[in-house]
Amino acid sequence: MTTTEASQTQQPRGALLVVEGGDRCGKTSQCTRLLDALHARGIDARAVKFPDRTSETGKLIDLYLKGAKDVDDHAVHLLFSANRWESMKHIRALLEQGTTLVVDRYAFSGVAYSAAKGLDLEWCKQPDRGLLRPDLVLFLDLDPIAAARRAGYGEERYERVDMQQRVRSNFMSLADGSWKILDASRTVDEIAADVSAAAIAAVEAARSTPLCSDLWCS
Ligand code: NYM
Ligand code: MG
């Protein structure tokens, strides 16, 4: 095949799979399990995590989350959004080359957490308007009282039961047809089975659906 022919070959796109939930819901373990399950089926997949604590905005966010820095609620909300926008070109390029992405938190966390601090929910959605729309949102639903019993709870800002209860109800108000709400109080294996079944179906469906930068545009 010549170079011209290779560049003209249309690769089916990868899927944008988002995993969301409150703190200590088991999200990070499920993302790892999902990536392994996709790789085991020969699917090209990579992990992405928001906030990306390595970029300039991410370093500031990290200090804020650890309580080492105070930032105005509106300003930090915009920083979390900027932290996503600065990755969008790279994310789009990966999806277009056929790589499926398993994204640990996205704009839904942005809105659910900031609105739980008292910011207006509609205001919170605006900065993320026009981000790539996920093919699937897997929401790991766990009672905040059960989450609070898990190891390490309380280490970061927001890890308080009253806050997490408001976060949970905000998440619920953002759910639409692209969401799958999973009972995260079950065993890791049980949850992982549901997560990978839904994800594999979404990877298949994404092959024939265009990629859209229209999150919250309608
Ligand atoms: N968080 C995360 C936000 O408040 N806004 C956002 O846009 C995102 C992506 O950061 N408590 C909060 C939720 C978490 C914290 O995430 C860090 P993690 O996945 O717990 O490391
Ligand atoms: Mg956390």
Side-chain angles (χ1 to χ4, degrees):
M1 198 189 284
T2 66
T3 316
T4 325
E5 279 166 340
S7 61
Q8 282 169 353
T9 305
Q10 199 61 46
Q11 178 82 25
R13 74 167 175 97
L16 184 60
L17 310 174
V18 169
V19 182
E20 285 283 13
D23 288 287
R24 313 287 157 174
C25 68
K27 205 168 37 60
T28 306
S29 318
Q30 288 300 331
C31 286
T32 308
R33 290 284 297 258
L34 175 54
L35 214 56
D36 291 346
L38 294 172
H39 290 159
R41 281 166 183 79
I43 297 168
D44 172 15
R46 277 201 213 177
V48 172
K49 178 158 177 50
F50 289 117
D52 167 6
R53 302 193 194 212
T54 64
S55 72
E56 291 309 311
T57 58
K59 284 177 198 158
L60 208 56
I61 289 170
D62 186 52
L63 290 173
Y64 172 78
L65 289 171
K66 289 183 171 141
K69 194 171 176 66
D70 278 323
V71 184
D72 169 79
D73 291 341
H74 297 84
V76 84
H77 180 76
L78 297 174
L79 272 180
F80 274 109
S81 177
N83 186 253
R84 283 182 282 280
W85 278 108
E86 64 195 9
S87 289
M88 275 309 116
K89 271 205 190 87
H90 181 55
I91 287 187
R92 175 180 274 280
L94 288 170
L95 293 168
E96 282 172 349
Q97 75 173 35
T99 306
T100 282
L101 300 177
V102 174
V103 184
D104 185 337
R105 295 197 188 278
Y106 199 53
F108 312 101
S109 279
V111 173
Y113 281 81
S114 290
K117 292 191 285 184
L119 302 194
D120 178 72
L121 190 131
E122 287 307 315
W123 183 90
C124 290
K125 286 168 90 170
Q126 294 312 307
D128 286 301
R129 219 181 118 119
L131 281 185
L132 284 165
R133 176 191 290 271
D135 294 291
L136 173 68
V137 179
L138 293 151
F139 180 68
L140 302 186
D141 188 33
L142 184 65
D143 176 0
I145 295 170
R149 287 192 218 106
R150 295 190 170 178
Y153 190 88
E155 280 169 11
E156 280 203 339
R157 205 183 280 264
Y158 305 148
E159 294 186 352
R160 299 187 328 264
V161 171
D162 60 332
M163 170 76 185
Q164 297 288 325
Q165 260 149 358
R166 292 194 299 276
V167 166
R168 186 190 198 186
S169 72
N170 290 338
F171 269 128
M172 291 304 187
S173 75
L174 297 171
D176 64 13
S178 67
W179 283 49
K180 190 161 176 66
I181 297 170
L182 299 167
D183 173 3
S185 69
R186 296 172 297 158
T187 66
V188 173
D189 287 346
E190 283 169 329
I191 305 163
D194 283 357
V195 164
S196 61
I200 287 157
V203 169
E204 214 28 70
R207 292 171 156 263
S208 53
T209 322
L211 196 55
C212 288
S213 291
D214 66 349
L215 181 70
W216 295 327
C217 286
S218 51

